[in-house]
């Protein structure tokens, strides 16, 4: 996967981050996402015309996914989908969100990395194949310390009435936003290719290490 490390710098309001050059953006911004989704679906159907009868379903699903992501605070979502000769493509994504929270009394939650890690639960795998989660702190060059979780987790499917989950490689880094009390930039990397967990942890860590707040 070394070839992925040729980087493309992405800038959004308030931050910039470098992602592998071969990745593509799933646009979640309200002013541009509908046009971007139409273009993306059209390109995919041109390559796979047998899927044309499902065009409206794809567009509806992607619109909802983009709207849900934006409502949850997502500002950028970069994705990869590569085939290396196997039957199943290798997929992954990195999302940058601006999130915050308050206590029951209405006070902003602390964003200090040590305080954040104290609120995050470690999960041990009781047997082989179980989900697990580790909690730590990392130093982002030029930014400072940040809380982080990583592991193999069961992620709830948004809006699913049956409360189903998807098992995924997941890394989340909580970076305090300067001058905004109670706010963190959440950089989340995920992939459903569990066999490559260690490789994806390295990739997500490398991408997150390029995060910078805009001047």
């Amino acid at each position: 996967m070394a070839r992925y490390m040729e980087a493309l710098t992405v800038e959004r309001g308030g931050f910039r981050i470098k992602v592998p050059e071969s990745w593509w953006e799933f646009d979640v911004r309200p002013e541009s996402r509908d046009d971007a989704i139409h273009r993306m679906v059209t390109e995919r159907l041109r390559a796979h015309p047998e899927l044309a009868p499902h065009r409206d379903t794809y567009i509806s699903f992607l619109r909802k996914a983009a709207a849900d992501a934006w409502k949850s605070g997502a500002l950028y979502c970069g994705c990869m989908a590569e085939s290396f000769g196997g039957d199943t493509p290798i997929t992954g994504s990195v999302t940058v969100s601006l999130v915050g929270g308050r206590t029951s009394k209405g006070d902003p939650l602390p964003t200090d990395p040590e305080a954040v890690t104290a609120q995050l639960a470690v999960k041990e795998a009781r047997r082989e194949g179980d989900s697990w989660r580790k909690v730590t702190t990392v130093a982002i060059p030029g930014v400072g310390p940040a809380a982080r979780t990583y592991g193999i987790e069961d992620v709830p499917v948004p809006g699913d009435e049956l409360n189903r989950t998807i098992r995924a490689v997941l890394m989340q880094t909580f970076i305090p936003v300067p001058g905004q009390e109670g706010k963190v930039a959440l950089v989340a990397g995920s992939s459903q290719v569990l066999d490559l967990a260690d490789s994806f942890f390295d990739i997500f860590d490398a991408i997150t290490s390029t995060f910078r707040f805009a001047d």
Side-chain angles (χ1 to χ4, degrees), residues 3 123-124 152 157 164 190 196-197:
R3 66 191 181 95
K123 183 177 182 181
E124 300 289 345
I152 306 294
V157 177
R164 286 172 290 192
S190 66
L196 295 178

Side-chain angles (χ1 to χ4, degrees), residues 41 44-46 48-60:
V41 171
R44 297 301 185 274
L45 295 184
R46 189 177 294 122
H48 301 279
E50 69 276 10
L51 300 178
H54 306 290
R55 178 188 179 89
D56 290 345
T57 301
Y58 292 141
I59 289 176
S60 177

Side-chain angles (χ1 to χ4, degrees), residues 190-201:
S190 66
S191 172
Q192 293 181 44
V193 187
L194 306 184
D195 291 341
L196 295 178
D198 288 341
S199 294
F200 272 110
F201 289 144

